[in-house]
Amino acid sequence: MELPFAESWKIKMVEPLRKSTREEREQWLKEAHYNLFNLKSDHVYIDCLTDSGTGAMSDRQWAAMMMGDESYAGSSSFFRLKDTITRLTGFEYVIPTHQGRGAENVLFSHLVKAGDIVPGNSHFDTTKGHIESRKAFAIDCTIDEAKDTQLEHPFKGNVDPAKLEKVLAENADKIPFVIVTVTNNTAGGQPVSMENLRAVKAIAEKYNKRVVFDSARFVENAYFIKTREAGYADKTIKEIVKEMYTYADAMTMSAKKDGLVNMGGFIATRHEDFYEGAKRFCIPFEGFLTYGGLNGRDMDALAVGLDENTELDNIETRIKQVHYLAAKLDEYGIPYQRPVGGHAIFVDADRVLTNVPKEEFPAQTLAIELYREAGIRGCEIGYILADRDPVTRENRFGGLDLLRLCIARRVYTNNHMDVIAAALKNVYDRRNEIKHGVKIVWETELMRHFTVKLAPVEE
Ligand code: F0G
């Protein structure tokens, strides 16, 4: 008999989970203004809010922390991190930052000015925020296939080369760079193919533009290239990663995802002028150039994490757990962005809560119902997160309205996946009784989903 697949690690330290009653959760929801970001984590049973900074570090990472060099300048931890990044990506210049948005802030302070246009594939909300707060515009050039959640396509994160070329041809003088997010979080953790990365680079070069990869989940992307793209099955994850970065000029990184650490980020580039320009903003915003908001020990843990995650065993364990959960949802007929991506399931709330009008935010409503059902916390990646149009101030209903259920790295077991699936099935079975959603009672201008206050819409 063939042995089944199992995790490539065993567990050395555990943390207790707490359950709650439906009545308690009802009260906590009210106190949280129906915004799940306002819940105390003690009030959450299984937390699928994000895969960012929520993973478990390995024994090797914890051991590396003991080697941290806390010197203000010239820390040997920085050089260990820099050498790892250079070895994996080929990028010679590295600036550490406290997390991904810090990297965006530092690099974009140098590159983005008012009136600029930054084309890319479904910019993540902080990326879009850092562009729009500079009075510049983020233009989404993702392939149209990504909008149909039921369509099977191996690389739904891809940039549409024709859309990109059109933006470049019409606005070349306003475009500081092209950004490609690997994997494409907003479109459902969907990967970008090597062929597409190559095509984007060629188009950008034609217009003399550089390409930046938003790299939060670059290892997951490499795994999908290995398993889905012709010609890569026999390559190692590290070889694939190296090739991916030959099609980029720079990267911003949230190390809280594929860096396998709880906090951290960096910018890396092959261009001295990018480095020199960004450096000016690192010191006032993040810290001196050899720590950029991180402890020495954090940089050591990150160096090991990057190395560890770019090994097949680790990344395969991670993706297979997400696929395990997806297979359960298939069994129950629950619609999600297909095929399942790398870090999360994105349930298509519009298709589940068909009685809830979009003005009442179906994905947020579904997130609330799932919490109410079983204390499982997901996250709306939909109409609330999309913010208002900066010009018309209207809600943006043009995209998808998804409930994202993120899977933390090396944290939960497949038994927890079974609980998530069962809870979602219970909500799904009573979907037709859910007729109303929520309304916004208070919001901020940008990135409103973090702090928005909501109230249930009554009959
Ligand atoms: N880029 C992508 C693709 C992201 O998913 C994130 C964060 C960032 C940049 C910003 O990085 O959080 O370290 O400042 N995503 C988290 C999420 C928050 O839940 O998807 P950060």
Side-chain angles (χ1 to χ4, degrees):
M1 174 178 188
E2 198 186 334
L3 298 182
F5 180 81
E7 291 77 6
S8 64
W9 34 256
K10 57 183 175 171
I11 297 165
K12 187 154 13 205
M13 190 184 283
V14 297
E15 183 182 340
L17 291 174
R18 298 159 205 85
K19 289 190 187 175
S20 53
T21 65
R22 192 177 281 259
E23 292 68 41
E24 283 175 324
R25 292 194 290 276
E26 202 57 64
Q27 179 61 26
W28 294 332
L29 269 174
K30 223 178 271 167
E31 287 165 10
H33 298 282
Y34 298 88
N35 177 347
L36 305 187
F37 282 98
N38 287 335
L39 289 172
K40 289 185 177 154
S41 63
D42 286 356
H43 296 168
V44 175
Y45 174 35
I46 302 175
D47 206 347
C48 299
L49 184 70
T50 178
D51 64 323
S52 181
T54 52
M57 293 210 298
S58 67
D59 50 358
R60 292 197 308 146
Q61 287 179 286
W62 282 107
M65 288 190 82
M66 295 296 163
M67 303 302 288
D69 172 4
E70 306 304 337
S71 303
Y72 189 96
S75 161
S76 58
S77 302
F78 167 75
F79 292 102
R80 284 189 285 273
L81 173 61
K82 175 178 174 289
D83 290 348
T84 304
I85 294 168
T86 305
R87 174 163 48 79
L88 290 173
T89 65
F91 292 151
E92 190 183 332
Y93 300 100
V94 173
I95 299 178
T97 60
H98 77 283
Q99 62 183 95
R101 66 200 69 184
E104 290 163 359
N105 186 33
V106 168
L107 187 63
F108 295 4
S109 290
H110 169 50
L111 295 177
V112 181
K113 56 182 195 319
D116 278 354
I117 290 172
V118 183
N121 56 341
S122 322
H123 312 62
F124 183 67
D125 56 344
T126 59
T127 319
K128 182 159 60 81
H130 275 300
I131 293 168
E132 292 181 349
S133 66
R134 289 174 172 80
K135 305 268 180 274
F137 302 91
I139 297 201
D140 186 358
C141 299
T142 308
I143 55 169
D144 289 335
E145 287 88 334
K147 287 199 188 127
D148 180 352
T149 60
Q150 300 313 291
L151 189 84
E152 298 280 348
H153 182 297
F155 292 102
K156 264 185 174 172
N158 279 357
V159 176
D160 182 329
K163 286 188 199 170
L164 176 64
E165 174 121 32
K166 185 166 185 287
V167 177
L168 278 160
E170 289 171 1
N171 311 281
D173 55 324
K174 292 198 192 110
I175 295 177
F177 58 91
V178 174
I179 191 156
V180 184
T181 307
V182 289
T183 57
N184 183 332
N185 181 2
T186 312
Q190 296 293 320
V192 180
S193 71
M194 195 72 91
E195 187 188 15
N196 194 247
L197 294 176
R198 208 176 290 131
V200 167
K201 180 68 176 155
I203 296 167
E205 267 177 0
K206 190 168 141 193
Y207 293 89
N208 233 336
K209 301 295 172 191
R210 288 180 181 169
V211 178
V212 176
F213 286 179
D214 174 350
S215 301
R217 300 176 183 84
F218 73 100
V219 189
E220 293 174 6
N221 202 84
Y223 178 83
F224 286 118
I225 289 174
K226 181 178 172 71
T227 52
R228 292 183 184 170
E229 190 164 352
Y232 290 92
D234 296 330
K235 294 219 183 327
T236 65
I237 297 293
K238 283 190 165 66
E239 286 166 344
I240 294 170
V241 165
K242 198 65 175 277
E243 184 182 338
M244 282 167 59
Y245 285 102
T246 62
Y247 307 122
D249 294 282
M251 67 193 283
T252 53
M253 177 71 187
S254 168
K256 305 172 69 166
K257 287 87 170 173
D258 274 348
L260 300 181
V261 289
N262 303 113
M263 190 56 70
F266 59 87
I267 298 164
T269 177
R270 66 176 87 261
H271 299 290
E272 193 178 357
D273 60 314
F274 266 21
Y275 175 66
E276 290 299 327
K279 251 168 79 175
R280 295 177 298 141
F281 298 98
C282 180
I283 295 179
F285 288 139
E286 297 288 316
F288 186 65
L289 301 170
T290 56
Y291 75 86
L294 294 177
N295 296 303
R297 55 181 173 270
D298 295 342
M299 293 189 279
D300 272 304
L302 174 53
V304 174
L306 288 168
D307 233 347
E308 202 167 89
N309 206 22
T310 47
E311 290 298 322
L312 181 62
D313 272 358
N314 196 79
I315 190 66
E316 183 175 50
T317 296
R318 192 275 183 293
I319 305 274
K320 288 213 163 162
Q321 184 168 50
V322 178
H323 286 214
Y324 175 89
L325 176 56
K328 287 267 158 201
L329 301 200
D330 287 343
E331 212 178 286
Y332 306 147
I334 301 170
Y336 60 85
Q337 173 69 299
R338 307 189 65 86
V340 67
H343 67 293
I345 308 268
F346 289 67
V347 181
D348 190 343
D350 258 345
R351 282 176 192 266
V352 176
L353 298 183
T354 48
N355 295 330
V356 177
K358 60 182 185 310
E359 291 76 14
E360 295 178 17
F361 306 108
Q364 180 65 22
T365 306
L366 190 59
I368 293 166
E369 287 297 336
L370 184 63
Y371 177 73
R372 194 174 263 144
E373 177 70 28
I376 295 164
R377 173 160 68 171
C379 178
E380 190 248 33
I381 301 272
Y383 303 144
I384 297 182
L385 179 133
D387 278 336
R388 290 175 188 271
D389 183 284
V391 180
T392 66
R393 304 305 305 154
E394 292 295 323
N395 279 313
R396 291 191 267 210
F397 291 122
L400 294 171
D401 195 39
L402 306 166
L403 165 61
R404 185 181 74 166
L405 298 171
C406 275
I407 309 305
R409 293 170 183 77
R410 310 191 288 205
V411 169
Y412 294 113
T413 68
N414 284 358
N415 290 330
H416 295 111
M417 301 301 116
D418 291 343
V419 174
I420 298 168
L424 200 55
K425 180 182 187 306
N426 290 346
V427 176
Y428 188 65
D429 287 348
R430 59 180 167 80
R431 64 191 179 281
N432 292 329
E433 295 153 34
I434 304 169
K435 303 242 159 55
H436 283 290
V438 287
K439 60 182 178 208
I440 294 178
V441 293
W442 185 88
E443 67 188 294
T444 53
E445 196 174 321
L446 281 177
M447 295 188 233
R448 62 182 178 178
H449 61 292
F450 289 117
T451 52
V452 69
K453 290 184 183 171
L454 304 163
V457 175
E458 311 292 346
E459 288 283 342

